[in-house]
Amino acid sequence: MSDIRETNVLVDVKDLKKHFVKSKDIWGRTTGVLKAVDGVSFQIRRGETFGLVGESGSGKSTVGRCLLRLYDYTAGEVLFDGQPISTLGEKQLKPFRRRIQSIFQDPYSSLNPGMNVLELIGEPMNIHGMLPGVEREDAIAALLDRVGLKREHLYRYPHEFSGGQRQRISIARALAVRPEFVVCDEPISALDVSVQAQVVNMLEDLQSEFGLTYLFIAHDLSMVRHISDRIGVMYKGRLVEVADSDELYDNPLHPYTQALLSAIPVPDPRATAERIVWSGDDHPAWDSVPLREVSPGHYAAIAE
C-alpha cells in the first residue's frame, strides 16, 4: 500500500520552513523572526483533495504560497511530480506555472478591474501561447458555461458581477491553462453561505472532469470534511495531525484538533454540544512533538 502511495504522489512537502524577518538592529542584523511555517511535511496524491485547516495565523496560506513559488522558502524541499521547485529558474518556472494554478480568497481583489472577462481568462492562455483569437474566445465561452456563466458575460467587468460570479470567473481563469494542481486558498470564505455549497460542488465536478488535484485551505471545518479526502491540521506553523477526512472527524487525537472540531456549529437549537477550549498550555512541548503514525494513514503529535 505504501508503494502505491509513493508512486502516486504529485506534491511532496518535506520539512518546509518559511520564516519572516520581524525586526533588525541598527547594523541590519536580524533580531526577530516570525516562524510562519516551521517544519511541515505531507504528501498530496494525484486526483485527491488535501484539506489544510487551522486558525488564522497558523501558516496555512503561507504553505500554499510556498507551493506556488510566490514565496521562496527558508528551508526544506517541495517536490512537484518528483522535481524540486526551489531549483527552477525563470525559464523553467513558466511551464511549471501552467501545471499549478491558484484560486484566492477574495475574487474581487484577485481580478484586474480594468479587464473584462475575455481578457482576464485569456491572459494566462496568451502568456502560454494557447489557441489563436477566435478559437480562444470559443474556449473561454465554453469554460464560462462550465462554471455556470454565459457567453454574454465575456465583455463585462468584475464590478458587474456578484461575489459568487466573480469567484466562478477566477475558477475559469485557473482552469484556462489546463493545470494538474490547484491551490484553493479559502475560495469560499468571502462568499455568501447560500453560494458556498454551489462553488464547492462545482469544484468537485471540475476535479472529476479535468483530473485535478487540490490543496484546499479553509476555515469552515464542515465544508473541508465534505470536499477533502485527507486533512492536515496546522497549529503555530506546524502540522499536528494528518488523517483521512472521516477518521480525523470521528477520532481526533490532538487536543487542538478536538478543540477545533468542537467549535463547529450544530444546526439544532436543542443540541448541547460541549465546547473544548484549547489554551496551548496542555502540554509544554506540543510545539516540538513530531508526528507519528498511530493507525494506518493517521498521523498525530502525541506526547508520551
Side-chain angles (χ1 to χ4, degrees):
M1 183 173 171
S2 60
D3 291 337
I4 294 175
R5 287 180 176 182
E6 289 294 330
T7 56
N8 202 32
V9 170
L10 180 63
V11 179
D12 192 358
V13 180
K14 300 180 178 180
D15 197 26
L16 179 67
K17 297 181 180 180
K18 176 58 182 176
H19 299 171
F20 294 96
V21 176
K22 289 175 61 179
S23 59
K24 293 184 178 182
D25 60 21
I26 59 174
W27 295 281
R29 295 176 301 194
T30 299
T31 57
V33 173
L34 172 64
K35 297 180 179 180
V37 178
D38 196 30
V40 168
S41 300
F42 61 90
Q43 294 179 331
I44 305 177
R45 299 190 286 271
R46 293 180 188 275
E48 82 166 340
T49 298
F50 186 88
L52 202 57
V53 301
E55 61 191 315
S56 297
S58 62
K60 309 182 303 296
S61 294
T62 303
V63 170
R65 290 171 185 267
C66 287
L67 267 57
L68 291 163
R69 268 290 301 268
L70 297 178
Y71 290 155
D72 289 326
Y73 35 92
T74 305
E77 189 173 43
V78 177
L79 303 178
F80 181 78
D81 201 11
Q83 182 178 17
I85 67 172
S86 61
T87 62
L88 297 179
E90 188 174 340
K91 290 184 178 180
Q92 296 168 308
L93 270 176
K94 186 175 180 180
F96 164 76
R97 295 199 188 284
R98 177 175 174 175
R99 299 178 69 187
I100 178 170
Q101 289 289 303
S102 59
I103 303 168
F104 292 109
Q105 177 177 3
D106 183 359
Y108 192 70
S109 63
S110 62
L111 297 175
N112 187 333
M115 300 173 71
N116 61 35
V117 172
L118 179 65
E119 294 167 331
L120 286 167
I121 301 177
E123 184 179 36
M125 300 175 77
N126 182 53
I127 290 172
H128 292 284
M130 298 176 62
L131 302 177
V134 176
E135 292 181 49
R136 183 180 300 167
E137 182 172 331
D138 290 340
I140 294 172
L143 268 176
L144 285 183
D145 179 69
R146 190 61 196 81
V147 299
L149 296 175
K150 300 178 181 179
R151 191 184 189 106
E152 65 192 54
H153 294 135
L154 281 173
Y155 296 96
R156 296 184 185 178
Y157 291 81
H159 71 272
E160 300 180 74
F161 297 94
S162 67
Q165 289 175 319
R166 285 196 288 264
Q167 194 63 294
R168 291 170 187 270
I169 295 168
S170 295
I171 293 170
R173 183 179 61 177
L175 298 181
V177 293
R178 301 169 192 167
E180 300 170 46
F181 179 57
V182 181
V183 175
C184 305
D185 189 0
E186 304 206 34
I188 60 172
S189 61
L191 306 180
D192 292 339
V193 174
S194 60
V195 179
Q196 290 180 356
Q198 297 174 21
V199 172
V200 167
N201 289 335
M202 182 179 64
L203 286 172
E204 290 184 309
D205 292 341
L206 293 170
Q207 180 178 37
S208 177
E209 181 177 343
F210 293 100
L212 299 170
T213 303
Y214 291 146
L215 171 64
F216 194 88
I217 301 167
H219 280 98
D220 189 333
L221 297 173
S222 57
M223 196 64 75
V224 171
R225 180 178 190 175
H226 173 74
I227 194 173
S228 301
D229 299 293
R230 291 185 301 131
I231 297 173
V233 181
M234 288 197 68
Y235 171 65
K236 292 174 64 173
R238 295 178 62 89
L239 271 177
V240 295
E241 193 160 356
V242 179
D244 290 344
S245 177
D246 288 340
E247 174 69 13
L248 184 81
Y249 279 74
D250 294 339
N251 183 32
L253 298 176
H254 194 283
Y256 178 69
T257 307
Q258 295 167 4
L260 278 181
L261 295 179
S262 75
I264 298 176
V266 178
D268 183 355
R270 296 166 296 182
T272 56
E274 182 181 353
R275 178 70 185 271
I276 300 173
V277 178
W278 164 254
S279 66
D281 300 324
D282 298 55
H283 190 287
W286 277 121
D287 293 352
S288 59
V289 175
L291 290 183
R292 62 183 177 89
E293 190 168 18
V294 293
S295 63
H298 192 164
Y299 296 81
I302 304 296
E304 300 295 347

